[in-house]
């Protein structure tokens, strides 16, 4: 019979990331409870585009985008 399988580095890294994420979440929760952070009702947006640097709502496009659209 073979012994126990060793845990792969990938699994260890995943577990470490999950633990860090949980710790950050607990710290944020404690800070909100202490009144240090404003209460945020929206979901977290990990990996999503924040919209910073995009054109304003007025419908104007940045000059670089307009130039590439005209060239096509």
């Amino acid at each position: 019979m073979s012994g126990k399988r060793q845990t792969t580095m990938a699994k260890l890294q995943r577990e470490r990331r999950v633990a860090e994420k949980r710790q950050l979440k607990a710290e944020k929760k404690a800070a909100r409870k202490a009144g240090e952070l404003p209460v945020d009702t929206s979901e977290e947006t990990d990996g999503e585009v924040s919209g910073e640097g995009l054109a304003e709502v007025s419908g104007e496009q940045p000059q670089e985008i307009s130039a590439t659209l005209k060239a096509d």
Side-chain angles (χ1 to χ4, degrees):
M1 290 257 237
S2 63
K4 293 172 96 177
R5 275 193 168 180
Q6 290 186 343
T7 304
T8 63
M9 289 302 293
K11 183 175 181 179
L12 291 173
Q13 289 171 347
R14 282 193 306 271
E15 290 173 348
R16 193 173 299 125
R17 282 194 306 262
V18 169
E20 288 173 357
K21 190 173 180 180
R22 286 180 181 160
Q23 182 181 4
L24 286 174
K25 187 175 181 179
E27 289 172 1
K28 281 184 176 180
K29 184 177 180 181
R32 277 194 304 273
K33 191 172 184 180
E36 296 171 7
L37 289 177
V39 177
D40 186 18
T41 58
S42 66
E43 299 272 331
E44 286 192 31
T45 56
D46 290 338
E48 293 184 14
V49 177
S50 65
E52 292 179 17
L54 297 179
E56 293 293 322
V57 179
S58 65
E60 296 178 9
Q61 295 178 344
Q63 190 171 6
E64 309 90 42
I65 294 176
S66 297
T68 56
L69 290 176
K70 291 176 185 176
D72 291 336

